[in-house]
Amino acid sequence: MLRYVREDDAEGLRRYYGREDVTRHLLDGPWDAEHAVDQARYRSGRKHITQAGFATVLVAELADGAEAGRLVGDISLWAVDDSLSHGEASWVMDPELGGQGYATEMARAVLDLGFRHYGMHRIQAQVESRNQASARLCERLGMQQEAHLRRNWLIKGEWTDTLVYGLLAEEFAAGET
Ligand SMILES: CC(C)(COP(=O)(O)OP(=O)(O)OC[C@H]1O[C@@H](n2cnc3c(N)ncnc32)[C@H](O)[C@@H]1OP(=O)(O)O)[C@@H](O)C(=O)NCCC(=O)NCCS
């Protein structure tokens, strides 16, 4: 189940953002407890896309079973420019629950939100070039690799390459039918 972030999600987010293997390809992390509290508070205020740079930030939680309510991962969608029709998405999963298609399920739902609710015409994802799991996710979603940018992001002191994946509204609609 996807829902908005709450301030009391700090511990649930830290469970996976506290891991080095999860944050290896991300700009920051691993998180400590204080950073998790700050992030949960900040993200709980990110609900609507009303201007460039503004995001909707959602967490996915297990909806039923013995671990109902456990956070599976989180996903953000924001507007790249003031037209609000060009979006970008970013996702992170708890690896203990990885490899079962949950990230694919939450990303499809957020692409649907971007294209159908916000009326976006293009949604992109930027992936550190060695992040094979994220690149495979883009491909499962029907996104096309459009660019390979060289040494354009400074991640934890290292200049890294970025793969840019994109999906157009008509491609998403065709894949849904
Ligand atoms: C990127 C990330 C979210 C992908 O997570 P994931 O667990 O591979 O993705 P899913 O939950 O969709 O699971 C897909 C995998 O499960 C398999 N799978 C099993 N059942 C499935 C199902 N019903 N539907 C889809 N895939 C399924 C797929 O084959 C795939 O495995 P493969 O990649 O080895 O082929 C995760 O690796 C992550 O959080 N990484 C750290 C943070 C990060 O780098 N984020 C990206 C920033 S750009």
Side-chain angles (χ1 to χ4, degrees), residues 8-36:
D8 67 2
D9 284 324
E11 200 43 48
L13 290 168
R14 185 164 176 251
R15 182 170 181 158
Y16 54 96
Y17 275 100
R19 294 174 55 140
E20 193 281 331
D21 57 344
V22 169
T23 59
R24 182 178 303 141
H25 302 298
L26 305 182
L27 291 172
D28 73 338
W31 295 5
D32 59 22
E34 191 182 344
H35 192 61

Side-chain angles (χ1 to χ4, degrees), residues 16 21-26 89-95 97-106 108 125-128 131-137 140 153:
Y16 54 96
D21 57 344
V22 169
T23 59
R24 182 178 303 141
H25 302 298
L26 305 182
S90 168
W91 38 66
V92 179
M93 273 278 304
D94 182 344
L97 298 169
Q100 302 178 63
Y102 285 131
T104 307
E105 191 179 334
M106 72 178 182
R108 281 216 178 95
Q126 300 199 57
V127 176
E128 205 267 303
N131 193 347
Q132 294 177 6
S134 195
R136 284 198 301 275
L137 173 56
R140 270 196 304 282
W153 260 3

Side-chain angles (χ1 to χ4, degrees), residues 17 34 47 71 78 152 158 164:
Y17 275 100
E34 191 182 344
K47 292 195 168 71
L71 294 195
W78 63 94
N152 71 315
E158 181 191 8
V164 181

